[in-house]
Amino acid sequence: LMGVETLSLRMQRHCENAMEVAQWLEQDDRVDYVTYAGLESSPYYLRAQECYPKGAGGLFTFAVKGGYDACIKLVDSLEIFSHVANLGDTRSLIIHSASTTHRQLS
């Protein structure tokens, strides 16, 4: 139970940061769409507000215009985000499922 004392603060920041990044991505012309229940544009926004009044969590998806190759280029160009599939990690993560965890499905 180490770290439980600061868990609420960390989760608050987790949700705030996810919202800020999701909003930024939603405004970027290079992004096709963002899926995050905390965004007012989400079909799940009202439900998320009811079920998760302190924030919709820290996980969201987005699609980059340009398809597969554009996504690979984005992932390879990032310096702050780690390219791993460890959900729940303490690092900021990015994963391109089509080329990693879900590759066998295509």
Side-chain angles (χ1 to χ4, degrees), residues 21-59:
V21 173
Q23 288 173 330
W24 184 85
L25 287 168
E26 193 172 47
Q27 300 304 313
D28 193 301
D29 291 336
R30 298 167 293 182
V31 174
D32 190 25
Y33 64 86
V34 180
T35 304
Y36 182 60
L39 293 172
E40 289 185 32
S41 60
S42 170
Y44 305 106
Y45 176 75
L46 294 177
R47 169 88 34 102
Q49 294 300 301
E50 180 182 322
C51 295
Y52 313 112
K54 294 184 179 183
L59 181 67

mmCIF file of all heavy atoms in Angstrom, residues 21-59:
data_model
loop_
_atom_site.group_PDB
_atom_site.id
_atom_site.type_symbol
_atom_site.label_atom_id
_atom_site.label_comp_id
_atom_site.label_asym_id
_atom_site.label_seq_id
_atom_site.Cartn_x
_atom_site.Cartn_y
_atom_site.Cartn_z
ATOM 1 N N VAL A 21 -4.454 17.134 -22.600
ATOM 2 C CA VAL A 21 -3.872 16.562 -23.824
ATOM 3 C C VAL A 21 -4.975 16.215 -24.823
ATOM 4 O O VAL A 21 -4.848 16.490 -26.017
ATOM 5 C CB VAL A 21 -2.992 15.332 -23.503
ATOM 6 C CG1 VAL A 21 -2.527 14.639 -24.779
ATOM 7 C CG2 VAL A 21 -1.802 15.750 -22.655
ATOM 8 N N ALA A 22 -6.068 15.625 -24.361
ATOM 9 C CA ALA A 22 -7.175 15.262 -25.252
ATOM 10 C C ALA A 22 -7.765 16.506 -25.911
ATOM 11 O O ALA A 22 -8.060 16.500 -27.116
ATOM 12 C CB ALA A 22 -8.249 14.491 -24.485
ATOM 13 N N GLN A 23 -7.936 17.582 -25.149
ATOM 14 C CA GLN A 23 -8.458 18.823 -25.726
ATOM 15 C C GLN A 23 -7.492 19.395 -26.758
ATOM 16 O O GLN A 23 -7.916 19.867 -27.816
ATOM 17 C CB GLN A 23 -8.726 19.849 -24.622
ATOM 18 C CG GLN A 23 -9.920 19.512 -23.779
ATOM 19 C CD GLN A 23 -10.085 20.442 -22.590
ATOM 20 O OE1 GLN A 23 -9.124 20.971 -22.038
ATOM 21 N NE2 GLN A 23 -11.333 20.634 -22.178
ATOM 22 N N TRP A 24 -6.214 19.350 -26.458
ATOM 23 C CA TRP A 24 -5.213 19.856 -27.394
ATOM 24 C C TRP A 24 -5.228 19.048 -28.686
ATOM 25 O O TRP A 24 -5.217 19.603 -29.786
ATOM 26 C CB TRP A 24 -3.826 19.825 -26.738
ATOM 27 C CG TRP A 24 -2.770 20.417 -27.598
ATOM 28 C CD1 TRP A 24 -2.433 21.736 -27.717
ATOM 29 C CD2 TRP A 24 -1.903 19.695 -28.485
ATOM 30 N NE1 TRP A 24 -1.408 21.871 -28.614
ATOM 31 C CE2 TRP A 24 -1.060 20.635 -29.103
ATOM 32 C CE3 TRP A 24 -1.752 18.353 -28.800
ATOM 33 C CZ2 TRP A 24 -0.086 20.287 -30.027
ATOM 34 C CZ3 TRP A 24 -0.785 17.991 -29.728
ATOM 35 C CH2 TRP A 24 0.030 18.948 -30.326
ATOM 36 N N LEU A 25 -5.277 17.727 -28.550
ATOM 37 C CA LEU A 25 -5.312 16.865 -29.729
ATOM 38 C C LEU A 25 -6.565 17.100 -30.561
ATOM 39 O O LEU A 25 -6.511 17.098 -31.793
ATOM 40 C CB LEU A 25 -5.241 15.391 -29.314
ATOM 41 C CG LEU A 25 -3.891 14.894 -28.827
ATOM 42 C CD1 LEU A 25 -4.032 13.525 -28.178
ATOM 43 C CD2 LEU A 25 -2.884 14.863 -29.963
ATOM 44 N N GLU A 26 -7.682 17.314 -29.904
ATOM 45 C CA GLU A 26 -8.953 17.515 -30.605
ATOM 46 C C GLU A 26 -8.901 18.766 -31.490
ATOM 47 O O GLU A 26 -9.569 18.822 -32.519
ATOM 48 C CB GLU A 26 -10.096 17.616 -29.595
ATOM 49 C CG GLU A 26 -11.468 17.512 -30.213
ATOM 50 C CD GLU A 26 -12.563 17.420 -29.182
ATOM 51 O OE1 GLU A 26 -12.573 18.210 -28.219
ATOM 52 O OE2 GLU A 26 -13.430 16.534 -29.335
ATOM 53 N N GLN A 27 -8.096 19.745 -31.111
ATOM 54 C CA GLN A 27 -7.978 20.991 -31.876
ATOM 55 C C GLN A 27 -6.899 20.928 -32.957
ATOM 56 O O GLN A 27 -6.805 21.823 -33.788
ATOM 57 C CB GLN A 27 -7.674 22.163 -30.928
ATOM 58 C CG GLN A 27 -8.735 22.386 -29.879
ATOM 59 C CD GLN A 27 -10.114 22.592 -30.475
ATOM 60 O OE1 GLN A 27 -10.280 23.358 -31.412
ATOM 61 N NE2 GLN A 27 -11.115 21.898 -29.946
ATOM 62 N N ASP A 28 -6.080 19.890 -32.948
ATOM 63 C CA ASP A 28 -4.964 19.791 -33.886
ATOM 64 C C ASP A 28 -5.450 19.282 -35.244
ATOM 65 O O ASP A 28 -6.116 18.247 -35.318
ATOM 66 C CB ASP A 28 -3.897 18.846 -33.322
ATOM 67 C CG ASP A 28 -2.590 18.937 -34.065
ATOM 68 O OD1 ASP A 28 -2.580 18.691 -35.294
ATOM 69 O OD2 ASP A 28 -1.567 19.245 -33.427
ATOM 70 N N ASP A 29 -5.107 19.989 -36.304
ATOM 71 C CA ASP A 29 -5.546 19.622 -37.656
ATOM 72 C C ASP A 29 -4.973 18.291 -38.136
ATOM 73 O O ASP A 29 -5.492 17.695 -39.071
ATOM 74 C CB ASP A 29 -5.155 20.716 -38.652
ATOM 75 C CG ASP A 29 -5.941 22.001 -38.437
ATOM 76 O OD1 ASP A 29 -7.059 21.937 -37.877
ATOM 77 O OD2 ASP A 29 -5.432 23.070 -38.820
ATOM 78 N N ARG A 30 -3.901 17.824 -37.512
ATOM 79 C CA ARG A 30 -3.285 16.556 -37.923
ATOM 80 C C ARG A 30 -3.993 15.345 -37.316
ATOM 81 O O ARG A 30 -3.697 14.211 -37.666
ATOM 82 C CB ARG A 30 -1.812 16.547 -37.527
ATOM 83 C CG ARG A 30 -0.998 17.650 -38.203
ATOM 84 C CD ARG A 30 0.351 17.811 -37.577
ATOM 85 N NE ARG A 30 0.182 18.316 -36.210
ATOM 86 C CZ ARG A 30 1.189 18.606 -35.392
ATOM 87 N NH1 ARG A 30 2.435 18.420 -35.785
ATOM 88 N NH2 ARG A 30 0.958 19.061 -34.178
ATOM 89 N N VAL A 31 -4.941 15.600 -36.411
ATOM 90 C CA VAL A 31 -5.658 14.530 -35.708
ATOM 91 C C VAL A 31 -7.045 14.368 -36.303
ATOM 92 O O VAL A 31 -7.785 15.347 -36.447
ATOM 93 C CB VAL A 31 -5.737 14.838 -34.197
ATOM 94 C CG1 VAL A 31 -6.601 13.815 -33.477
ATOM 95 C CG2 VAL A 31 -4.344 14.888 -33.596
ATOM 96 N N ASP A 32 -7.401 13.139 -36.649
ATOM 97 C CA ASP A 32 -8.710 12.845 -37.232
ATOM 98 C C ASP A 32 -9.802 12.880 -36.161
ATOM 99 O O ASP A 32 -10.845 13.498 -36.349
ATOM 100 C CB ASP A 32 -8.660 11.484 -37.916
ATOM 101 C CG ASP A 32 -9.884 11.202 -38.756
ATOM 102 O OD1 ASP A 32 -10.535 12.169 -39.207
ATOM 103 O OD2 ASP A 32 -10.192 10.016 -38.982
ATOM 104 N N TYR A 33 -9.575 12.209 -35.044
ATOM 105 C CA TYR A 33 -10.543 12.222 -33.943
ATOM 106 C C TYR A 33 -9.865 11.823 -32.642
ATOM 107 O O TYR A 33 -8.802 11.218 -32.643
ATOM 108 C CB TYR A 33 -11.740 11.298 -34.220
ATOM 109 C CG TYR A 33 -11.371 9.845 -34.321
ATOM 110 C CD1 TYR A 33 -11.283 9.044 -33.176
ATOM 111 C CD2 TYR A 33 -11.112 9.255 -35.552
ATOM 112 C CE1 TYR A 33 -10.941 7.707 -33.264
ATOM 113 C CE2 TYR A 33 -10.772 7.917 -35.647
ATOM 114 C CZ TYR A 33 -10.684 7.149 -34.499
ATOM 115 O OH TYR A 33 -10.341 5.823 -34.592
ATOM 116 N N VAL A 34 -10.528 12.183 -31.528
ATOM 117 C CA VAL A 34 -10.082 11.809 -30.186
ATOM 118 C C VAL A 34 -11.252 11.134 -29.495
ATOM 119 O O VAL A 34 -12.381 11.625 -29.554
ATOM 120 C CB VAL A 34 -9.643 13.047 -29.367
ATOM 121 C CG1 VAL A 34 -9.193 12.639 -27.971
ATOM 122 C CG2 VAL A 34 -8.546 13.817 -30.087
ATOM 123 N N THR A 35 -10.998 10.012 -28.853
ATOM 124 C CA THR A 35 -12.026 9.308 -28.092
ATOM 125 C C THR A 35 -11.675 9.412 -26.612
ATOM 126 O O THR A 35 -10.719 8.782 -26.154
ATOM 127 C CB THR A 35 -12.077 7.825 -28.508
ATOM 128 O OG1 THR A 35 -12.281 7.745 -29.906
ATOM 129 C CG2 THR A 35 -13.191 7.097 -27.788
ATOM 130 N N TYR A 36 -12.427 10.250 -25.904
ATOM 131 C CA TYR A 36 -12.205 10.435 -24.465
ATOM 132 C C TYR A 36 -13.530 10.877 -23.844
ATOM 133 O O TYR A 36 -14.095 11.898 -24.242
ATOM 134 C CB TYR A 36 -11.116 11.476 -24.217
ATOM 135 C CG TYR A 36 -10.790 11.688 -22.751
ATOM 136 C CD1 TYR A 36 -10.333 10.641 -21.962
ATOM 137 C CD2 TYR A 36 -10.952 12.929 -22.160
ATOM 138 C CE1 TYR A 36 -10.037 10.819 -20.620
ATOM 139 C CE2 TYR A 36 -10.656 13.131 -20.820
ATOM 140 C CZ TYR A 36 -10.198 12.078 -20.056
ATOM 141 O OH TYR A 36 -9.915 12.260 -18.719
ATOM 142 N N ALA A 37 -14.027 10.138 -22.897
ATOM 143 C CA ALA A 37 -15.345 10.414 -22.306
ATOM 144 C C ALA A 37 -15.407 11.754 -21.589
ATOM 145 O O ALA A 37 -16.491 12.288 -21.364
ATOM 146 C CB ALA A 37 -15.737 9.293 -21.353
ATOM 147 N N GLY A 38 -14.278 12.339 -21.260
ATOM 148 C CA GLY A 38 -14.257 13.632 -20.600
ATOM 149 C C GLY A 38 -14.489 14.816 -21.532
ATOM 150 O O GLY A 38 -14.757 15.924 -21.079
ATOM 151 N N LEU A 39 -14.391 14.585 -22.834
ATOM 152 C CA LEU A 39 -14.609 15.656 -23.808
ATOM 153 C C LEU A 39 -16.096 15.857 -24.056
ATOM 154 O O LEU A 39 -16.849 14.891 -24.191
ATOM 155 C CB LEU A 39 -13.922 15.312 -25.139
ATOM 156 C CG LEU A 39 -12.402 15.278 -25.140
ATOM 157 C CD1 LEU A 39 -11.884 14.741 -26.478
ATOM 158 C CD2 LEU A 39 -11.837 16.663 -24.859
ATOM 159 N N GLU A 40 -16.503 17.098 -24.158
ATOM 160 C CA GLU A 40 -17.916 17.386 -24.418
ATOM 161 C C GLU A 40 -18.376 16.806 -25.752
ATOM 162 O O GLU A 40 -19.556 16.535 -25.930
ATOM 163 C CB GLU A 40 -18.165 18.892 -24.377
ATOM 164 C CG GLU A 40 -18.079 19.458 -22.975
ATOM 165 C CD GLU A 40 -18.448 20.933 -22.905
ATOM 166 O OE1 GLU A 40 -19.298 21.377 -23.712
ATOM 167 O OE2 GLU A 40 -17.897 21.621 -22.048
ATOM 168 N N SER A 41 -17.469 16.586 -26.675
ATOM 169 C CA SER A 41 -17.813 16.016 -27.981
ATOM 170 C C SER A 41 -18.075 14.505 -27.911
ATOM 171 O O SER A 41 -18.588 13.925 -28.868
ATOM 172 C CB SER A 41 -16.680 16.284 -28.972
ATOM 173 O OG SER A 41 -15.472 15.686 -28.513
ATOM 174 N N SER A 42 -17.743 13.886 -26.806
ATOM 175 C CA SER A 42 -17.925 12.441 -26.667
ATOM 176 C C SER A 42 -19.399 12.083 -26.467
ATOM 177 O O SER A 42 -20.103 12.736 -25.698
ATOM 178 C CB SER A 42 -17.135 11.925 -25.455
ATOM 179 O OG SER A 42 -17.487 10.582 -25.176
ATOM 180 N N PRO A 43 -19.870 11.012 -27.115
ATOM 181 C CA PRO A 43 -21.240 10.564 -26.869
ATOM 182 C C PRO A 43 -21.430 10.052 -25.433
ATOM 183 O O PRO A 43 -22.556 9.882 -24.976
ATOM 184 C CB PRO A 43 -21.448 9.445 -27.889
ATOM 185 C CG PRO A 43 -20.090 9.017 -28.298
ATOM 186 C CD PRO A 43 -19.183 10.203 -28.115
ATOM 187 N N TYR A 44 -20.327 9.837 -24.720
ATOM 188 C CA TYR A 44 -20.386 9.329 -23.345
ATOM 189 C C TYR A 44 -20.128 10.420 -22.310
ATOM 190 O O TYR A 44 -20.016 10.125 -21.120
ATOM 191 C CB TYR A 44 -19.361 8.195 -23.167
ATOM 192 C CG TYR A 44 -19.563 7.109 -24.182
ATOM 193 C CD1 TYR A 44 -18.686 6.977 -25.253
ATOM 194 C CD2 TYR A 44 -20.646 6.244 -24.105
ATOM 195 C CE1 TYR A 44 -18.883 6.002 -26.209
ATOM 196 C CE2 TYR A 44 -20.848 5.268 -25.061
ATOM 197 C CZ TYR A 44 -19.964 5.149 -26.113
ATOM 198 O OH TYR A 44 -20.162 4.186 -27.061
ATOM 199 N N TYR A 45 -20.058 11.653 -22.742
ATOM 200 C CA TYR A 45 -19.714 12.764 -21.853
ATOM 201 C C TYR A 45 -20.665 12.867 -20.655
ATOM 202 O O TYR A 45 -20.210 12.919 -19.506
ATOM 203 C CB TYR A 45 -19.705 14.082 -22.629
ATOM 204 C CG TYR A 45 -19.453 15.274 -21.768
ATOM 205 C CD1 TYR A 45 -18.181 15.555 -21.279
ATOM 206 C CD2 TYR A 45 -20.487 16.142 -21.416
ATOM 207 C CE1 TYR A 45 -17.944 16.651 -20.467
ATOM 208 C CE2 TYR A 45 -20.263 17.242 -20.618
ATOM 209 C CZ TYR A 45 -18.987 17.489 -20.151
ATOM 210 O OH TYR A 45 -18.750 18.570 -19.346
ATOM 211 N N LEU A 46 -21.965 12.900 -20.894
ATOM 212 C CA LEU A 46 -22.923 13.042 -19.786
ATOM 213 C C LEU A 46 -22.865 11.862 -18.828
ATOM 214 O O LEU A 46 -22.920 12.030 -17.607
ATOM 215 C CB LEU A 46 -24.345 13.238 -20.320
ATOM 216 C CG LEU A 46 -24.576 14.545 -21.071
ATOM 217 C CD1 LEU A 46 -25.992 14.599 -21.629
ATOM 218 C CD2 LEU A 46 -24.291 15.746 -20.177
ATOM 219 N N ARG A 47 -22.716 10.669 -19.365
ATOM 220 C CA ARG A 47 -22.594 9.478 -18.521
ATOM 221 C C ARG A 47 -21.322 9.566 -17.683
ATOM 222 O O ARG A 47 -21.315 9.252 -16.499
ATOM 223 C CB ARG A 47 -22.585 8.224 -19.400
ATOM 224 C CG ARG A 47 -22.209 6.929 -18.726
ATOM 225 C CD ARG A 47 -23.322 6.121 -18.068
ATOM 226 N NE ARG A 47 -24.604 6.133 -18.656
ATOM 227 C CZ ARG A 47 -25.135 5.168 -19.404
ATOM 228 N NH1 ARG A 47 -24.434 4.093 -19.698
ATOM 229 N NH2 ARG A 47 -26.366 5.259 -19.840
ATOM 230 N N ALA A 48 -20.224 9.998 -18.292
ATOM 231 C CA ALA A 48 -18.953 10.120 -17.564
ATOM 232 C C ALA A 48 -19.066 11.156 -16.457
ATOM 233 O O ALA A 48 -18.528 10.957 -15.360
ATOM 234 C CB ALA A 48 -17.824 10.485 -18.522
ATOM 235 N N GLN A 49 -19.760 12.256 -16.715
ATOM 236 C CA GLN A 49 -19.936 13.279 -15.693
ATOM 237 C C GLN A 49 -20.704 12.734 -14.491
ATOM 238 O O GLN A 49 -20.412 13.070 -13.350
ATOM 239 C CB GLN A 49 -20.678 14.496 -16.277
ATOM 240 C CG GLN A 49 -19.902 15.236 -17.339
ATOM 241 C CD GLN A 49 -18.593 15.777 -16.824
ATOM 242 O OE1 GLN A 49 -18.559 16.557 -15.891
ATOM 243 N NE2 GLN A 49 -17.507 15.342 -17.427
ATOM 244 N N GLU A 50 -21.666 11.875 -14.778
ATOM 245 C CA GLU A 50 -22.481 11.270 -13.722
ATOM 246 C C GLU A 50 -21.700 10.196 -12.953
ATOM 247 O O GLU A 50 -21.715 10.163 -11.724
ATOM 248 C CB GLU A 50 -23.731 10.647 -14.353
ATOM 249 C CG GLU A 50 -24.673 9.992 -13.373
ATOM 250 C CD GLU A 50 -25.866 9.364 -14.073
ATOM 251 O OE1 GLU A 50 -26.365 9.958 -15.053
ATOM 252 O OE2 GLU A 50 -26.286 8.279 -13.640
ATOM 253 N N CYS A 51 -21.005 9.340 -13.693
ATOM 254 C CA CYS A 51 -20.310 8.209 -13.067
ATOM 255 C C CYS A 51 -18.943 8.575 -12.501
ATOM 256 O O CYS A 51 -18.499 7.968 -11.535
ATOM 257 C CB CYS A 51 -20.132 7.090 -14.085
ATOM 258 S SG CYS A 51 -21.673 6.349 -14.637
ATOM 259 N N TYR A 52 -18.287 9.536 -13.128
ATOM 260 C CA TYR A 52 -16.920 9.905 -12.753
ATOM 261 C C TYR A 52 -16.801 11.415 -12.573
ATOM 262 O O TYR A 52 -16.141 12.096 -13.359
ATOM 263 C CB TYR A 52 -15.927 9.430 -13.816
ATOM 264 C CG TYR A 52 -16.146 8.013 -14.249
ATOM 265 C CD1 TYR A 52 -16.586 7.711 -15.537
ATOM 266 C CD2 TYR A 52 -15.927 6.964 -13.364
ATOM 267 C CE1 TYR A 52 -16.792 6.405 -15.923
ATOM 268 C CE2 TYR A 52 -16.137 5.657 -13.747
ATOM 269 C CZ TYR A 52 -16.565 5.379 -15.024
ATOM 270 O OH TYR A 52 -16.775 4.086 -15.414
ATOM 271 N N PRO A 53 -17.437 11.969 -11.563
ATOM 272 C CA PRO A 53 -17.463 13.434 -11.401
ATOM 273 C C PRO A 53 -16.087 14.061 -11.165
ATOM 274 O O PRO A 53 -15.908 15.253 -11.388
ATOM 275 C CB PRO A 53 -18.376 13.637 -10.195
ATOM 276 C CG PRO A 53 -18.346 12.349 -9.449
ATOM 277 C CD PRO A 53 -18.142 11.281 -10.488
ATOM 278 N N LYS A 54 -15.111 13.263 -10.769
ATOM 279 C CA LYS A 54 -13.771 13.817 -10.522
ATOM 280 C C LYS A 54 -12.854 13.683 -11.733
ATOM 281 O O LYS A 54 -11.693 14.067 -11.671
ATOM 282 C CB LYS A 54 -13.136 13.134 -9.309
ATOM 283 C CG LYS A 54 -13.862 13.447 -8.013
ATOM 284 C CD LYS A 54 -13.159 12.837 -6.841
ATOM 285 C CE LYS A 54 -13.892 13.192 -5.540
ATOM 286 N NZ LYS A 54 -13.185 12.665 -4.385
ATOM 287 N N GLY A 55 -13.368 13.153 -12.823
ATOM 288 C CA GLY A 55 -12.565 13.023 -14.032
ATOM 289 C C GLY A 55 -12.769 11.687 -14.704
ATOM 290 O O GLY A 55 -13.081 10.698 -14.052
ATOM 291 N N ALA A 56 -12.583 11.682 -16.018
ATOM 292 C CA ALA A 56 -12.864 10.494 -16.825
ATOM 293 C C ALA A 56 -11.660 9.567 -16.970
ATOM 294 O O ALA A 56 -11.637 8.712 -17.843
ATOM 295 C CB ALA A 56 -13.363 10.922 -18.204
ATOM 296 N N GLY A 57 -10.666 9.734 -16.133
ATOM 297 C CA GLY A 57 -9.502 8.850 -16.179
ATOM 298 C C GLY A 57 -8.396 9.393 -17.055
ATOM 299 O O GLY A 57 -8.469 10.506 -17.560
ATOM 300 N N GLY A 58 -7.384 8.599 -17.239
ATOM 301 C CA GLY A 58 -6.206 9.053 -17.956
ATOM 302 C C GLY A 58 -5.957 8.354 -19.271
ATOM 303 O O GLY A 58 -4.920 8.545 -19.893
ATOM 304 N N LEU A 59 -6.893 7.550 -19.738
ATOM 305 C CA LEU A 59 -6.707 6.784 -20.959
ATOM 306 C C LEU A 59 -7.621 7.317 -22.047
ATOM 307 O O LEU A 59 -8.815 7.508 -21.822
ATOM 308 C CB LEU A 59 -7.021 5.307 -20.693
ATOM 309 C CG LEU A 59 -6.849 4.340 -21.852
ATOM 310 C CD1 LEU A 59 -5.381 4.226 -22.237
ATOM 311 C CD2 LEU A 59 -7.406 2.979 -21.470
#
